[in-house]
């Protein structure tokens, strides 16, 4: 059975991907430093699949620990790399923390892959690399724009580091998956999004408002040049996203990749406005959401949604779950996690 390393495997997208890897028969080793996740997620994963992943608490910034890990697990066949800091606003305040945590760790990981016979590497990237794209929907050929934040810059730099390394390491093949907006939770509600502190992202703020943790949702601007004046995003169900990671990994393990470094947009291909997301939530939950329109948030792009044809054709992957499915599962998770 192929053994796969998932860094950040106790995080939101990481944990959902571990479940799908186990469902496909992979043996999973998780590295997580628990700085933005909880050890209980390990039980959540096990409760879904009946298989407990191997877990190593490890800070990837500690180079010697990374080297020791790969000596211990010399039979790793592939790596899916989620571990990174990902709060856009925080990255503006703490750029060095983001460059250290998101870039040095990637370099240490790639140095270990150099010694592997065959190394398949999946990189967690983001649609933020496009900034406000000139054309919609956004294809993988859209120009990578000046990053709007140090976080977005670490994704751009990360892709360049991997691309440059793949050019000189014949044993290394990599895919960067550029996520649009991951939302929702596994249908079991045994794993889900666990934002620490006040949620920055829309959907967890909606569910926390509905359950009473937050007083009211602020909608950041309704004066944008969009049909209802609020920003448009491509909200993709996290389970669809997780399944795409397994497909991308298999593409590399089975040497079906067209080049040693590929990028794919992962979205639904449909844009939804903030007000449409709120409407979807009210529809699936039967609850009226308390929100108010306030001023625009610095750095928000007006509209971003994916052209998914490359992933549809080359990966044979298409998002199957709807915005309502995502909101229903996010609400089920919020209700359950507040009970425990
Ligand atoms: C979505 C829309 C807000 C909160 C970010 C990162 C991106 C990725 C996903 C990591 C926007 C509006 C939000 C609120 C609101 N993260 N909003 N009130 O900014 O598209 O993407 O998260 O990879 O890299 O940039 O997602 O959920 O923060 O915002 O009105 O309380 O909801 O203005 O239009 P975003 P988001």
């Amino acid at each position: 059975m192929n053994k796969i390393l998932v860094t950040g495997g106790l995080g939101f997208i990481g944990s959902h991907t571990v479940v799908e890897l186990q469902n496909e028969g992979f043996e999973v080793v998780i590295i997580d430093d628990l700085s933005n996740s909880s050890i209980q997620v390990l039980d959540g994963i096990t409760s879904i699949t009946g298989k407990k992943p191997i877990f190593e608490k490890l800070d990837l910034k500690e180079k010697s620990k990374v080297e020791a890990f790969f000596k211990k697990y010399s039979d790793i066949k592939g790596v899916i790399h989620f571990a990174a800091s990902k709060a856009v606003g925080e990255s503006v305040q703490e750029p060095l923390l983001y460059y250290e945590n998101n870039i040095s760790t990637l370099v240490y990981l790639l140095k270990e892959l150099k010694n592997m016979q065959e190394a398949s590497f999946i990189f967690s990237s983001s649609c933020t690399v496009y900034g406000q794209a000139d054309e919609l929907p956004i294809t993988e050929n859209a120009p990578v724009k000046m990053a709007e934040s140090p976080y977005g810059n670490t994704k751009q730099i990360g892709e360049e580091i991997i691309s440059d390394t793949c050019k000189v390491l014949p044993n290394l093949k990599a895919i960067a998956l550029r996520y649009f907006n991951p939302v929702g939770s596994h249908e079991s509600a045994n794993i889900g999004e666990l934002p620490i502190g006040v949620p920055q992202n829309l959907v967890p703020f909606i569910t926390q408002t509905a359950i009473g943790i937050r007083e009211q949702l602020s909608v950041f601007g309704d004066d944008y040049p969009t049909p209802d004046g609020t920003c448009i995003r491509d909200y993709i169900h996290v389970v669809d996203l997780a399944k795409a990671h397994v497909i991308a990994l298999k593409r590399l393990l089975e040497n079906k990749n067209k080049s040693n470094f590929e990028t794919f947009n992962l979205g639904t291909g449909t844009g939804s406005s903030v007000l449409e997301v709120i409407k979807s939530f009210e529809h699936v939950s039967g609850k009226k959401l308390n929100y108010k329109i306030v001023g625009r948030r610095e750095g928000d792009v007006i509209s971003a949604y994916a052209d998914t044809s490359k992933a549809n054709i080359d990966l044979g992957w298409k998002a199957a779950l709807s915005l309502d499915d995502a909101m229903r599962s996010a609400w089920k998770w919020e209700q359950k996690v507040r009970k425990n």
Side-chain angles (χ1 to χ4, degrees):
M1 185 196 300
N2 275 336
K3 192 176 279 182
I4 304 297
L5 165 61
V6 179
T7 73
L10 295 185
F12 174 39
I13 305 169
S15 55
H16 285 83
T17 301
V18 169
V19 164
E20 299 308 328
L21 282 167
Q22 291 186 318
N23 288 345
E24 288 294 306
F26 287 98
E27 185 182 2
V28 177
V29 183
I30 292 174
I31 283 179
D32 204 298
D33 66 0
L34 299 177
S35 63
N36 190 24
S37 58
S38 142
I39 191 68
Q40 272 78 29
V41 174
L42 204 53
D43 298 333
I45 293 168
T46 310
S47 71
I48 294 169
T49 63
K51 289 172 268 187
K52 185 167 188 172
I54 301 167
F55 173 67
E56 297 276 357
K57 184 177 183 298
L58 196 154
D59 181 347
L60 291 170
K61 293 194 291 293
E62 298 183 57
K63 189 166 179 289
S64 58
K65 297 251 172 79
V66 176
E67 290 164 351
F69 174 89
F70 277 89
K71 282 197 178 58
K72 179 176 176 184
Y73 296 97
S74 55
D75 53 348
I76 292 240
K77 291 285 175 282
V79 179
I80 303 184
H81 180 43
F82 292 103
S85 303
K86 62 164 193 169
V88 173
E90 182 189 50
S91 78
V92 175
Q93 305 308 322
E94 301 274 0
L96 286 179
L97 186 145
Y98 273 67
Y99 288 116
E100 183 187 34
N101 197 41
N102 292 7
I103 302 297
S104 66
T105 53
L106 173 63
V107 171
Y108 297 157
L109 270 178
L110 291 174
K111 282 187 162 187
E112 293 309 312
L113 300 190
K114 255 173 74 173
N115 312 325
M116 285 167 69
Q117 200 71 31
E118 284 276 302
S120 296
F121 189 72
I122 305 291
F123 179 64
S124 168
S125 191
S126 169
C127 64
T128 36
V129 302
Y130 299 116
Q132 176 55 68
D134 302 327
E135 282 180 40
L136 293 168
I138 304 172
T139 70
E140 288 81 355
N141 304 322
V144 170
K145 288 207 172 159
M146 170 69 90
E148 311 257 342
S149 68
Y151 161 75
N153 207 19
T154 65
K155 291 302 178 184
Q156 290 179 10
I157 297 168
E159 288 192 13
E160 285 167 25
I161 291 171
I162 298 163
S163 172
D164 289 346
T165 309
C166 286
K167 286 179 189 139
V168 293
L169 289 189
N171 67 315
L172 176 62
K173 1 179 217 183
I175 291 176
L177 297 176
R178 293 171 176 170
Y179 313 150
F180 280 68
N181 288 57
V183 290
S185 301
H186 189 268
E187 60 186 359
S188 64
N190 289 352
I191 53 175
E193 197 166 2
L194 275 172
I196 293 176
V198 179
Q200 299 304 304
N201 294 136
L202 177 64
V203 172
F205 206 108
I206 287 177
T207 55
Q208 288 192 11
T209 302
I211 206 141
I213 296 172
R214 306 291 158 203
E215 187 56 38
Q216 182 179 55
L217 169 74
S218 297
V219 173
F220 298 137
D222 70 345
D223 57 349
Y224 286 95
T226 61
D228 66 17
T230 62
C231 293
I232 292 171
R233 296 289 185 276
D234 186 334
Y235 297 93
I236 174 170
H237 198 296
V238 66
V239 172
D240 278 329
L241 194 61
K243 289 179 175 171
H245 285 72
V246 181
I247 293 170
L249 178 72
K250 282 179 168 176
R251 178 180 175 83
L252 296 181
L253 292 173
E254 294 159 13
N255 295 303
K256 290 189 177 136
N257 50 306
K258 285 182 182 162
S259 69
N260 266 9
F261 179 61
E262 295 175 300
T263 60
F264 291 95
N265 287 345
L266 295 182
T268 64
T270 304
S272 301
S273 74
V274 177
L275 292 180
E276 285 170 331
V277 175
I278 292 171
K279 209 158 106 231
S280 167
F281 176 78
E282 292 181 332
H283 169 66
V284 300
S285 66
K287 288 177 78 79
K288 188 90 188 75
L289 190 76
N290 177 12
Y291 70 90
K292 71 171 185 252
I293 307 290
V294 299
R296 295 182 173 191
R297 178 174 69 176
E298 187 68 26
D300 271 337
V301 298
I302 301 166
S303 181
Y305 52 94
D307 177 320
T308 59
S309 40
K310 188 180 173 193
N312 300 158
I313 296 163
D314 287 5
L315 296 182
W317 168 89
K318 189 166 174 45
L321 297 164
S322 68
L323 180 62
D324 279 2
D325 294 327
M327 301 310 282
R328 190 175 296 112
S329 62
W331 179 227
K332 185 178 171 191
W333 162 252
E334 186 69 66
Q335 291 170 299
K336 183 168 181 182
V337 83
R338 297 305 157 201
K339 274 208 189 87
N340 298 343

